[in-house]
Amino acid sequence: MEKRAVFRSGWVPLAFALPQLVLILLFFYWPVAAVVDWAFTLEPPFGGPAAFVGFANFRDAFADPFYWDSVLVSLVFATVGALSAILIGLVLALAVDRHLPGTGLFRVIYILPFAVAGPAAGMAFRFILAPERGLAASLNALWPDVWNPAKYGDHALVLIIIIFVWKWSGYTFIFLLAGLQSVPRSLSEAAAMDGAGPFRRAVDVQIPLLAPTLFFLLVTMMTEGFVGSDTFGIVHAVTAGGPNRATELMVFRIVDEAFHGLNYSGASAQSIILIGLIMIFTFIQFRFIEKRVHYK
Amino acid sequence: MIQRTPLADAVTYAILMAGFLLLIGPFLMIIAGASQSLQQVNSIPFSFLPQDQFLVNVQEAWRRGDLGTAMTNSLVMAIIVVLGKIALSAMTAFAIVFFRSPARHLFFWSVFITLMLPLEVRVVPTYAVAADLLAPVKSLLSLVSSVQISVEWNLLNSYAGLTLPLVATATGTFLYRQFFMTLPDELAEAARMDGSGPVRFFFDMLLPLSRTNMLALAAIMFVYAWNQYLWPLLMVTEPPYKTAMMSLRSLLPREDATPDWNVTLAGSLLIMIPPLIVVGILQRWFVRGLVSSDK
């Protein structure tokens, strides 16, 4: 949509856009170009200009078995986290959308976890789900070590997924509720006349009409799980990648590699792989899932 | 409501309560733990009853995490990001929507692409730029000549370093663009007839009209900036500039003694509160901003 009444061009639009353009050139485009540059070069150990090394940095990454572990763990984290957050948001949105008396309050408070930073939530959950105190203590008293994220890698992975899901369920809820409220009431009424109960109406009428929103959330949540700022923060504050490197997600590894290993080339190569993965996922989602999505 | 079915209603309420326990339960547990004594917080089973030690724990957390400094820094940082984001987004959207300059599509796309790659994947070179603002210039120079400059201009340990890279994406630009697109064309025409130029039109008409947008963006950006974790961790090396998120680690219980999680929880709670207040107050706009901005 173009606007008809526009002002004459000149210095004004440039002056207005310039501050943002300068900032994104400096802090976005330059760094992105540098990631690409560094991924294919290597600083020689004895000084001198960086040398072009082709795909060597990528080969190094792939040759490390821990790297494949981090890809796998990231996949599990993003997929399970995204799907769970969407499912919980969906169930809650369907429930709130029934407009029973007193349910307006829930709409207002479900979003609150979203305001909490992943690391801050993570610190609290370290206590809430600690094996020797908090909620899990009684469970561990009955069956020793049935829950011990400090000791078992898969427990630690479950822990960081729980924190991710806690934080994002209210977010998916808001989008799905907005989606539900834009579904014409007459459709549900017609289905009710045909004798469909609330559950049938949800499955056969409402959820299919939510498909575009669900699709949007799937893409957003998967991306969030892979590269979101919470993802790094949660891992860093809760498990620090452990135990035994079991929760080293890809984004955690990149930062670790760069700022502790001081391996900028390796970290840049891994950044490119991560970006590539996100693009592949987004593409797959558009290609195969969007076909089943019916836009209005 | 279309038809009343008691069973479905009961299930609905059960789901809503389960949702409440799941999403709000952790807050209740944090509050309870933050108000208990060392002995109470470590007792099994955990008691959800708040006790009277809250202020004691808060004081200890405040001291240990140096939260006075840290939370002030986070507040300053969040306010700069909020104001910077609102100003730049409104200005860029204005340039994109109301002018027919040949560069508008270039503006649009160059801004749009910034939504694709979050700070986390370009964090290493972004850090390099912030550590030496002249790094891009130096690299370009070394490409074309052998001139070397050795001046450095670094943003480490400064509010500029903490905020500028966060402002440098397009999150708000699209919110503003969408809003400007919905305004009737007659508005700009009328302004022109009255003899007001584009700059007057922007300040006297567009900005006041966009109050709703501004509040939505302010709420989102406040939460975003306050909750930044990785970037301050890299940018700040000196205690006077540390942020609230960075204090979290210093609040962790020490290994050698009985872990005082009551203090940790009190500190975490304090750090959670500012964005919760902002979202609580600006709830309506916050939600509107989320839903209409496509993030």
Side-chain angles (χ1 to χ4, degrees):
Chain A
M1 191 181 79
E2 296 267 320
K3 281 216 164 291
R4 271 183 295 115
V6 285
F7 294 98
R8 267 176 308 132
S9 313
W11 60 272
V12 178
L14 191 65
F16 269 71
L18 200 62
Q20 180 151 30
L21 288 180
V22 169
L23 274 189
I24 62 178
L25 271 180
L26 202 54
F27 291 109
F28 186 89
Y29 283 101
W30 181 266
V32 167
V35 163
V36 178
D37 180 35
W38 292 357
F40 293 98
T41 54
L42 199 62
E43 292 286 340
F46 302 107
F52 180 80
V53 293
F55 284 93
N57 296 320
F58 294 86
R59 278 196 298 271
D60 285 350
F62 289 136
D64 182 352
F66 280 113
Y67 186 73
W68 290 102
D69 288 346
S70 86
V71 175
L72 183 68
V73 175
S74 281
L75 273 174
V76 173
F77 178 84
T79 315
V80 177
L83 292 180
S84 313
I86 293 172
L87 185 69
I88 293 175
L90 177 64
V91 171
L92 294 179
L94 286 168
V96 167
D97 193 51
R98 297 195 69 224
H99 297 284
L100 298 185
T103 55
L105 179 70
F106 293 105
R107 195 184 59 222
V108 181
I109 58 177
Y110 283 160
I111 188 72
L112 290 182
F114 185 70
V116 176
M123 292 291 277
F125 271 89
R126 271 175 78 152
F127 169 77
I128 292 172
L129 293 176
E132 62 280 344
R133 60 183 66 82
L135 285 185
S138 318
L139 215 59
N140 273 332
L142 284 179
W143 301 281
D145 260 8
V146 69
W147 171 253
N148 194 344
K151 191 169 165 191
Y152 301 114
D154 42 353
H155 294 193
L157 183 57
V158 171
L159 176 63
I160 57 175
I161 291 176
I162 289 176
I163 298 166
F164 180 87
V165 173
W166 179 72
K167 155 126 196 193
W168 289 95
S169 292
Y171 177 85
T172 61
F173 161 79
I174 287 294
F175 280 87
L176 290 165
L177 186 64
L180 277 177
Q181 290 179 341
S182 69
V183 170
R185 217 103 206 101
S186 54
L187 277 175
S188 284
E189 280 162 16
M193 300 265 245
D194 288 348
F199 184 71
R200 271 304 286 272
R201 287 205 300 276
V203 173
D204 290 344
V205 180
Q206 292 175 304
I207 294 176
L209 285 167
L210 280 178
T213 313
L214 287 168
F215 175 67
F216 162 79
L217 286 174
L218 186 65
V219 176
T220 336
M221 286 292 99
M222 289 286 282
T223 312
E224 186 61 42
F226 267 103
V227 290
S229 42
D230 271 338
T231 304
F232 173 84
I234 293 171
V235 174
H236 190 259
V238 178
T239 65
N244 276 325
R245 308 180 71 173
T247 53
E248 272 192 352
L249 303 190
M250 293 172 83
V251 44
F252 181 83
R253 239 190 104 100
I254 289 172
V255 176
D256 198 53
E257 187 98 36
F259 294 102
H260 292 128
L262 297 178
N263 177 7
Y264 297 133
S265 305
S268 300
Q270 292 182 21
S271 296
I272 304 264
I273 298 170
L274 182 57
I275 293 167
L277 258 183
I278 295 166
M279 281 161 61
I280 292 172
F281 277 117
T282 312
F283 176 75
I284 292 176
Q285 285 164 348
F286 270 102
R287 185 84 176 65
F288 295 103
I289 304 179
E290 215 201 9
K291 275 190 187 162
R292 301 164 186 239
V293 172
H294 303 288
Y295 291 97
K296 270 181 244 135
Chain B
M1 200 52 236
I2 297 160
Q3 106 228 81
R4 277 268 116 82
T5 37
L7 178 65
D9 288 0
V11 171
T12 304
Y13 278 119
I15 290 173
L16 291 170
M17 271 320 289
F20 179 83
L21 287 181
L22 204 71
L23 297 181
I24 307 303
F27 286 118
L28 302 178
M29 211 167 152
I30 296 166
I31 293 169
S35 67
Q36 297 175 348
S37 68
L38 183 60
Q39 194 201 344
Q40 284 160 335
V41 81
N42 280 304
S43 63
I44 305 170
F46 178 77
S47 160
F48 283 87
L49 291 178
Q51 304 294 329
D52 58 356
Q53 294 297 300
F54 187 67
L55 286 180
V56 180
N57 295 333
V58 162
Q59 273 171 356
E60 176 59 19
W62 190 270
R63 193 192 56 76
R64 199 191 296 171
D66 194 11
L67 291 183
T69 309
M71 288 184 46
T72 310
N73 283 336
S74 286
L75 195 66
V76 173
M77 174 187 171
I79 289 173
I80 296 176
V81 171
V82 165
L83 295 179
K85 205 79 173 188
I86 289 175
L88 295 192
S89 316
M91 285 160 65
T92 314
F94 176 59
I96 291 174
V97 174
F98 287 93
F99 293 87
R100 188 155 295 159
S101 72
R104 56 183 280 168
H105 292 291
L106 183 70
F107 287 174
F108 178 80
W109 285 106
S110 64
V111 170
F112 180 74
I113 290 174
T114 63
L115 293 178
M116 306 287 180
L117 303 175
L119 185 60
E120 272 65 25
V121 298
R122 55 190 163 85
V123 65
V124 187
T126 310
Y127 173 81
V129 173
D132 183 6
L133 215 51
L134 300 176
V137 182
K138 287 178 189 167
S139 306
L140 289 177
L141 268 181
S142 74
L143 273 184
V144 294
S145 70
S146 57
V147 182
Q148 300 251 340
I149 44 174
S150 53
V151 194
E152 279 198 8
W153 182 9
N154 88 59
L155 300 178
L156 304 181
N157 297 305
S158 75
Y159 290 126
L162 278 172
T163 53
L164 288 181
L166 303 180
V167 178
T169 54
T171 332
T173 310
F174 286 85
L175 200 64
Y176 261 99
R177 179 176 168 270
Q178 268 176 325
F179 168 68
F180 288 159
M181 302 275 267
T182 63
L183 293 175
D185 292 344
E186 289 74 21
L187 201 67
E189 263 165 29
R192 224 165 25 171
M193 300 252 247
D194 286 349
S196 85
V199 180
R200 275 257 321 263
F201 174 65
F202 177 75
F203 283 104
D204 292 353
M205 301 283 284
L206 289 183
L207 284 191
L209 278 175
S210 70
R211 215 175 46 218
T212 309
N213 257 301
M214 233 180 248
L215 289 174
L217 195 56
I220 293 174
M221 281 304 135
F222 186 93
V223 173
Y224 169 75
W226 182 276
N227 289 348
Q228 282 297 316
Y229 183 74
L230 172 59
W231 189 247
L233 218 54
L234 298 174
M235 264 304 97
V236 176
T237 53
E238 287 168 18
Y241 284 96
K242 75 171 179 185
T243 65
M245 283 305 132
M246 297 171 69
S247 292
L248 281 174
R249 301 224 116 205
S250 51
L251 290 170
L252 260 184
R254 281 173 293 259
E255 298 282 329
D256 45 6
T258 314
D260 48 358
W261 276 99
N262 48 351
V263 175
T264 311
L265 292 175
S268 307
L269 187 65
L270 287 179
I271 291 170
M272 288 176 189
I273 282 177
L276 280 173
I277 291 176
V278 168
V279 170
I281 294 175
L282 300 179
Q283 173 97 26
R284 200 148 51 96
W285 290 281
F286 178 73
V287 169
R288 195 179 297 172
L290 278 188
V291 176
S292 66
S293 69
D294 276 10
K295 213 171 167 218

